[in-house]
Amino acid sequence: MISVRKLVVAIAALALAVGLAGCGETEQVIMYKQGKYQGKPDTRPWDSAPGATTTSKWSKGDKGSWESALRSRSQNQNEYVRIGD
């Protein structure tokens, strides 16, 4: 049979191994370079064409028509306007 002393030593060794495994984790912090943009540049929303599944239409690159489509979409989501008084 396994003696109590061997069991305690085995558990202590296992605890030590698990504890040391946690110390080996490296930092996961991004190092930024001063003056350098690290990400993907964003495009303006009106520079893309409307999707195939959208009901609103706007001209690609036209900010005014995109804003108009956005206003129309928000008015269609307004319950007071949709159902009337």
Side-chain angles (χ1 to χ4, degrees):
M1 292 192 82
I2 300 176
S3 70
V4 175
R5 185 176 183 142
K6 286 184 180 180
L7 185 60
V8 169
V9 170
I11 291 174
L14 181 64
L16 180 66
V18 169
L20 287 177
C23 293
E25 185 177 350
T26 59
E27 283 196 38
Q28 299 176 1
V29 178
I30 297 174
M31 302 304 287
Y32 293 103
K33 296 176 185 167
Q34 186 65 25
K36 302 286 184 184
Y37 179 67
Q38 299 292 317
K40 181 184 121 199
D42 294 330
T43 59
R44 292 186 214 116
W46 54 84
D47 284 341
S48 61
T53 59
T54 60
T55 57
S56 59
K57 301 294 179 199
W58 67 88
S59 303
K60 181 179 178 179
D62 185 14
K63 182 180 178 181
S65 68
W66 179 79
E67 287 175 342
S68 174
L70 200 61
R71 271 192 300 278
S72 171
R73 178 180 171 204
S74 66
Q75 283 300 315
N76 289 336
Q77 293 176 348
N78 185 347
E79 290 294 319
Y80 293 112
V81 173
R82 260 186 38 192
I83 61 174
D85 293 311

